[in-house]
Amino acid sequence: MVYRELHRSGRVGWLRAGVLGADDGIVSTASLVVGVAAAAASRGAVLLAGVAGLVAGATSMAAGEYVSVSTQRDAERADIRRERRELAADRSSSGPS
């Protein structure tokens, strides 16, 4: 009989990444726009700085979170392989005597 445990913790990483990324993107882009506007730049310059900051921030956060979530996934897979080896060793050592 095979017993399968249901875990949903793998989904949490993507949700966390999305929420933190959105928050960081809003704050950093708004700060950039306010800073450029405070320098008495033209409306076009403020808009261009905002769009450039948004694209740069989104790209940076996406790459960073991809690496973070991938690393976590790899570590969890290694833990699963280790657990399977330990279970197999335990079954073979506790067989009928």
Side-chain angles (χ1 to χ4, degrees), residues 4-5 11-12 15 18-19 26-27 38 40 44 46 51 62 73 87 90 92 95-96:
R4 296 192 58 100
E5 295 182 17
R11 298 180 191 173
V12 173
L15 177 61
V19 170
I26 291 168
V27 171
V46 172
V51 170
R73 182 188 63 225
L87 288 171
D90 188 48
S92 63

Side-chain angles (χ1 to χ4, degrees), residues 43-62:
R43 184 176 292 178
V46 172
L47 180 61
L48 180 61
V51 170
L54 182 64
V55 170
T59 304
S60 173
M61 288 298 294

